[in-house]
Every structure is written in structure tokens, then in C-alpha cells.
Amino acid sequence: MNVSEFLWKRLQEWGLKRAYGYPGDGVGGIDVALQKEIDAGNFEYIQVRHEEMAAFMATAHAKFTGQVGLCFATSGPGAIHLLNGLYDAKLDHVGVVAIMGQQARVAIGSNYQQEVDLQSLCKDVACEYIVTVTESSQIRHAIDRAVRIARDKRAPTVIIVPNDLQLLPYSEPRMAHGFTHTGIGRTTVSKVPEDEALRAAAEILNAGKKVAILAGAGALDATDELVDIAEMLGAGIAKALLGKAAVPDDLPFVTGSIGLLGTKPSWDLMKECDTFLMVGSAFPYSEFLPKPGQAHGVQIDINSANLSLRYPMEVNLQGDSVATLRALVPLLRRNHNRSWRVRIEKEVAKWWKVLEARAMARAQPLNPQRIFWELSSRLPENAIITADSGSVANWYARDLKIRRGMKASLSGGLASLGAGTPYAMAGKMAFPERTVIACMGDGAMQMNGLNVMITISKYWKQWPNPKLIVLVLNNQDLNQVTWEERIQLGKGKTESTQSIPDFPHHKYAELLGLKGIYVDDPEKVAAVWEEALDADRPVILEARTDPNVPPLPPHITLQQAKAFLSSLPTDAERSNVISRSAKQIFASIMPARKS
């Protein structure tokens, strides 16, 4: 057995059986060994069109499955291309192992072709573990440590394997000084804080009259526990963007997303609460949280570095969200005064009417919110929804009602453009029986999405359920940045940087043997969603949307209002901007009027 063959077999012993990657002579021996495992039915390989997509897919695999994601690339440019997706894993705290090729050991330091100092290149993104293998028996502890650290610390790790080492015979580490003998055993850690800390947390929560809960990605598996505690305390639950699937949106006390992409009920929940429970979240925007000193705080997080990071908490509980909440429940007393809960539920019900009115407001030609509003009630059971960065994330965050059993994610901490389609591909490979829907803007689609559609066309026929829909909002504008310039900088749209070319995305789907659907009529939106969801193959659903429908924040500050007004004289589209903004504001004030 050579080094490359051992590499794939050892990864399988760790339970890793799917890799996303792209070949090259820097990983030639690894490619050959992988083919043997594929032929034997032991391993699955997804060939991407660009290495960045491999790292994004590995990150999404980790998010959707809870397992370690795996990607690999050749030396030099291939390894460099992995970086963006690996940073996505780092900032969203999921475990990914990246295997990178390197030039022959004897050539390192000679300014050889494609020689890149990968140790230096990756030392930030893989700060938890990065190693260059220089001797055959070293590969064992390199793999063992990379996988264990990626899994237990929820971080990307990197193994660099020079190409001349890959075909050398593997040898077990000797029983001699300088050698180490690693293993695959399970890691068992204490997941529940001490009883005294739990009692202190319960005392604070029991005393609260207006309890607000914020759930993040770390609470995705704690749905039942969050609901139980909210019911006990009469609390409302807001969600950080990565925690969108933590609790269902059809519960009347779930206020939805928080932040610039969030809802007014979530804003009110945070600004009026007297007790704050934060679970599994490092939500970064403190201005959307309670004012320091306003609320008594309890936080639960598996990572101690996140505790009291965004809000000065009185009790900080380091532990697993599910286990800690489960241990906390018996210590809580039911709050019989439901006035806070009744108020929350009234505001949530009113908010959904506001969103419907906003979605039905006229635009030219399509209001992007209408696309999401019509999809929301049609989401299949157990659907997986991904979204890209940009204004599309606003509508994804607010207008889609996630139900129990669904999964949803996007590039959170990095907010990288172009992650939506590789996330969808990874979700489909992990759960081929589920319907997957990717929500894309045309900027993200032109950046990476068209590339990933080729990969989708390569693999879709092997899925038992072929339903994968890529929604593209075609507005020929890098829309989120355009609105940020208006609201934050007080400047009108800069045409040279913001306008992007038109592209027939639906026709591109047909070139690939997929289904393409186009819609620019609001009265046909419901029908085209039915058509897409009934298709016998993957679909690109292209919607011609209005770029001047504003993604209104949940709370407009005086500074934002002044900047917006200042932007209008320099904005070539000011008449449309004023018209669409007025309609959205009117719909917010008078939600009963739907147009």
C-alpha cells in the first residue's frame, strides 16, 4: 500500500466517504488511489469545475450533515483556489479537511513551477492544524490529527502532500524515539455545565417578565428544547441568520430573523425585553441586541470564546445547546403571566401581513418579495434551502417560512458571494431524496452559479429525486451594494460598478439538458413555482425583478434616512427608487392594502 492509498483508507476509517475536488499533477498519486476506492464502491467523488466550489461544498456538507467535510486540490493555483471556501468554514465554525498537493520535496525552495509556500498561505485559515507530510509514516498522524481537530474544534484543517511522496510505500510508525502512534478513538467531552451554574441561569430566567431568546447555528438541533423553554417562560424566539432552521416559523411566538435582514418583531423583542437568553450564536451586530444593562443575560455556547462576546451576560454556560437546555428545563418555572407572549404573537401575526402586503406591491416588472412569498407556502416537506449573499438574502431571511424538518443555510460570517449553488449541490449529494432550492441573485449566479450548473448537469441523473431548483433574480444590478451605497454612503447608484450584463439563465439551463423557466408577470409567479416543483430534472427559474424595491431594515435610523435622501439627487434611477420605496413604506403602514 502506498501513501495515497493509505490516505483514502484512513479517511474512510474516520467515516469520511465523499470528497469534492479537482485533479492535477500535484495530486496525481492521490487521484489514482481515489479511483481504486471509487471502483471498489468505497468512496464517492464529486468533480467540481473550480476548486473554490469544492471547498464551499465541503463546508455545506459539514453544515447539513454535522460530519466533517472533505475537499482536495492540486498544488499551486489549485490550493490557492480552496482558500475562500475554507474561510467560509472557519468563520461559520464547521469542520473541513483540505488535502493539497505540493511539488516534489527535492524541488521545494528552488522557485519551481507552481511552488507556493502553502504553509504560509494557509496558516491563518487553518490555524488549528496544518502540516506538510515529508515521510511516509507521517501520513497516519497527519490524517488522524486533521480529522479529529476539524471535528472537535469545528474548524478547517490542511494536509499538504508533496507529489513525490504520494506513490512511496506506506510504512507504519516504528516503535522508536521520535515516532508517534495516533488513533481514531471517539472524543468524549462534558456537554453540560455544573449544577450550580445551571441553577444560577434558571434563577435569572425564572425572574424574567419579558424573556427574549436568540437562537443561532449552534441551536439547530435544539428545536424541541427551545420550544419547551419558550413555552415555559412565555418567551419569544428570534433567530440569527445561520439559525434560520432552528425553530419553525409557523410557531406564533417565533419572531424571525434578526439584524439588517431581520424583522420588526425581532427588533421589538430585543429592545423591550428584560431577560435575554442567547443560544449557540455569535451574532455580530450588537446594535440589534438589548442595550447593555437593559436585560439580565444568560448565554449557552459550546465555544467559550463566544461567551459574553456581544452582550455582557451574567451567567455564561459553556456546553452543548441540546444537553444544556435539556438540563435547564426541569429548573424552570412556568410564567403564568402571558401578557408578554400575547403581545409578541400579535406583532408576529401583524408582521406576516406586512410582508404579504410588501410582496404584493407593484414593481417593474416583478417585486422580488413576491417570488419568495409564493414559494414559502409551496416549500416541500424536508426541503433544503440555500441562499447567496446580496439582496436575495433579505427575502430569504424574511419571507420564507421554515417548517420543522427543513434545512437552510448560506455563507454567514464570510457572506461570500457565489456560495448558494455549491451549497445546494452539497445538500443534494448528502440528501439526494430531498428537494433542494437555491436562491440566487444574478451577480452571484454569474460569478459561480453558471459554473456549478455544469456540475449539477453531470450528476443529477443519479439522484432518486431529481428536484433541484435554482432561482435567479435577474435585475442586472449588484443590488445589495447599490442599496448600501444609498443608505450608508448617501450616494446614488454607481453605474460602472453596479450594473451587470443581462444573461439568459433559463436558456443556459436548456443548453445543459436541464429545464429553464422564465417569468416577468406577477400573476404567473405561483404557476411557475408549481411547474418548477413538478419538473423531472433540475431547473433554473429566472425571474426578471425590479432592482429598486428597497430591502427595508427593521428599524430605520435618522442617519440612514438622511443618507438615503442625500443619495437621491445623484441617482439616475431616483424616480423609480422613490416610487418603490413609497409603496413599501405604505404597505408597512397599511398592510391590509396589498397593492
Side-chain angles (χ1 to χ4, degrees):
M1 182 187 303
N2 64 33
V3 168
S4 297
E5 291 166 342
F6 177 85
L7 179 149
W8 294 115
K9 290 186 181 299
R10 192 67 168 183
L11 288 170
Q12 290 172 62
E13 291 182 59
W14 277 98
L16 278 63
K17 296 186 178 181
R18 179 182 298 120
Y20 298 92
Y22 202 76
D25 60 359
V27 286
I30 292 173
D31 289 341
V32 171
L34 174 60
Q35 186 63 57
K36 290 182 179 180
E37 295 302 317
I38 294 170
D39 291 343
N42 298 329
F43 218 91
E44 187 175 24
Y45 165 60
I46 310 303
Q47 181 202 73
V48 298
R49 318 269 66 78
H50 188 285
E51 294 90 352
E52 181 182 348
M53 303 306 99
F56 273 137
M57 290 177 193
T59 298
H61 175 92
K63 287 185 176 183
F64 289 135
T65 66
Q67 304 164 357
V68 173
L70 178 63
C71 59
F72 75 97
T74 190
S75 55
I80 292 169
H81 286 162
L82 289 176
L83 278 184
N84 197 46
L86 294 180
Y87 269 105
D88 189 40
K90 179 181 179 179
L91 270 63
D92 284 353
H93 308 289
V94 294
V96 170
V97 173
I99 299 166
M100 299 177 179
Q102 180 58 289
Q103 293 306 313
R105 292 167 294 173
V106 70
I108 294 175
S110 69
N111 193 27
Y112 205 76
Q113 184 190 34
Q114 291 193 341
E115 181 192 350
V116 173
D117 184 354
L118 297 180
Q119 288 272 166
S120 296
L121 180 76
C122 300
K123 68 180 180 180
D124 179 53
V125 73
C127 59
E128 296 292 349
Y129 187 71
I130 178 172
V131 62
T132 298
V133 181
T134 58
E135 199 275 340
S136 65
S137 62
Q138 187 186 356
I139 191 68
R140 172 173 152 178
H141 73 248
I143 294 170
D144 290 352
R145 296 206 67 210
V147 178
R148 185 182 300 278
I149 291 170
R151 182 192 66 189
D152 295 351
K153 295 204 171 188
R154 303 182 316 281
T157 58
V158 170
I159 304 171
I160 303 164
V161 189
N163 59 16
D164 64 322
L165 184 76
Q166 295 167 19
L167 296 179
L168 293 181
Y170 169 72
S171 59
E172 285 288 317
R174 290 186 285 125
M175 185 58 70
H177 183 72
F179 287 83
T180 188
H181 300 81
T182 54
I184 293 176
R186 293 177 56 191
T187 303
T188 302
V189 296
S190 175
K191 294 184 177 182
V192 183
E194 296 177 354
D195 289 346
E196 183 179 351
L198 290 168
R199 286 194 296 270
E203 184 177 346
I204 290 174
L205 295 173
N206 286 330
K209 294 180 173 61
K210 300 178 180 179
V211 181
I213 300 173
L214 175 59
L220 287 172
D221 295 325
T223 304
D224 291 336
E225 291 74 18
L226 286 168
V227 171
D228 287 347
I229 287 181
E231 291 284 13
M232 289 280 290
L233 301 176
I237 304 178
K239 300 184 285 188
L241 195 55
L242 287 174
K244 184 171 177 63
V247 285
D249 287 304
D250 51 12
L251 295 174
F253 53 86
V254 173
T255 61
S257 297
I258 190 174
L260 281 169
L261 280 59
T263 72
K264 186 177 183 299
S266 290
W267 169 271
D268 294 340
L269 182 76
M270 293 296 153
K271 295 305 174 183
E272 298 176 19
C273 68
D274 62 19
T275 307
F276 180 35
L277 172 60
M278 191 173 185
V279 185
S281 177
F283 176 76
Y285 305 120
S286 58
E287 66 269 28
F288 291 93
L289 299 179
K291 183 179 179 181
Q294 168 196 321
H296 298 287
V298 174
Q299 186 173 356
I300 300 168
D301 205 290
I302 193 70
N303 184 354
S304 63
N306 290 336
L307 296 172
S308 276
L309 178 64
R310 309 300 184 194
Y311 187 83
M313 300 291 180
E314 292 170 57
V315 176
N316 295 283
L317 303 175
Q318 183 180 5
D320 173 77
S321 294
V322 175
T324 302
L325 290 172
R326 196 171 290 162
L328 196 54
V329 168
L331 304 176
L332 299 178
R333 297 190 301 269
R334 182 173 178 82
N335 182 352
H336 294 287
N337 183 344
R338 310 309 274 186
S339 58
W340 173 244
R341 167 63 73 81
V342 169
R343 181 178 174 186
I344 290 167
E345 293 185 359
K346 285 182 178 178
E347 291 302 312
V348 170
K350 179 181 176 182
W351 175 251
W352 286 115
K353 292 179 181 178
V354 167
L355 287 181
E356 183 180 11
R358 287 183 182 179
M360 298 303 169
R362 294 188 185 93
Q364 186 58 41
L366 279 181
N367 182 336
Q369 294 163 110
R370 178 75 176 265
I371 311 297
F372 285 80
W373 184 262
E374 298 287 3
L375 167 63
S376 187
S377 61
R378 294 174 172 81
L379 285 171
E381 294 300 317
N382 298 318
I384 297 174
I385 306 103
T386 71
D388 221 291
S389 297
S391 61
V392 70
N394 290 275
W395 323 130
Y396 158 86
R398 294 177 187 159
D399 290 273
L400 292 183
K401 281 189 176 183
I402 295 294
R403 303 193 303 277
R404 186 181 284 268
M406 294 180 179
K407 295 178 181 288
S409 196
L410 76 178
S411 175
L414 191 61
S416 180
L417 199 66
T421 47
Y423 268 42
M425 180 66 186
K428 193 67 177 178
M429 295 307 303
F431 300 97
E433 73 284 357
R434 295 194 181 195
T435 298
V436 177
I437 301 171
C439 305
M440 307 289 294
D442 50 356
M445 194 66 183
Q446 291 180 26
M447 178 178 283
N448 287 343
L450 299 174
N451 168 316
V452 177
M453 294 309 302
I454 301 173
T455 305
I456 290 170
S457 72
K458 177 179 171 71
Y459 291 100
W460 75 268
K461 292 182 180 179
Q462 72 184 46
W463 300 330
N465 169 11
K467 299 183 190 305
L468 189 158
I469 302 168
V470 178
L471 167 67
V472 184
L473 304 186
N474 184 348
N475 57 25
Q476 298 168 53
D477 180 38
L478 297 175
N479 199 229
Q480 185 76 0
V481 175
T482 296
W483 279 102
E484 287 170 346
E485 289 179 354
R486 287 168 177 152
I487 302 301
Q488 297 176 9
L489 304 180
K491 300 297 181 183
K493 179 180 176 178
T494 53
E495 291 286 340
S496 60
T497 63
Q498 299 311 111
S499 294
I500 60 175
D502 192 9
F503 184 86
H505 303 88
H506 65 294
K507 292 183 179 178
Y508 179 71
E510 294 168 359
L511 287 174
L512 296 173
L514 309 178
K515 186 175 181 64
I517 303 174
Y518 179 86
V519 62
D520 60 4
D521 182 347
E523 300 306 317
K524 295 180 179 179
V525 171
V528 298
W529 271 123
E530 297 285 353
E531 182 183 357
L533 289 164
D534 194 44
D536 63 353
R537 63 194 61 210
V539 175
I540 292 180
L541 172 52
E542 180 179 359
R544 178 73 70 167
T545 55
D546 190 332
N548 294 315
V549 174
L552 294 176
H555 175 76
I556 299 174
T557 65
L558 180 60
Q559 182 179 357
Q560 290 169 334
K562 286 181 177 179
F564 175 64
L565 293 173
S566 297
S567 74
L568 294 176
T570 61
D571 202 316
E573 300 181 18
R574 58 184 171 272
S575 62
N576 288 330
V577 170
I578 293 170
S579 171
R580 307 299 184 269
S581 299
K583 288 179 178 177
Q584 290 297 300
I585 292 170
F586 182 74
S588 301
I589 298 170
M590 301 288 289
R593 296 283 297 274
K594 296 181 182 179
S595 62

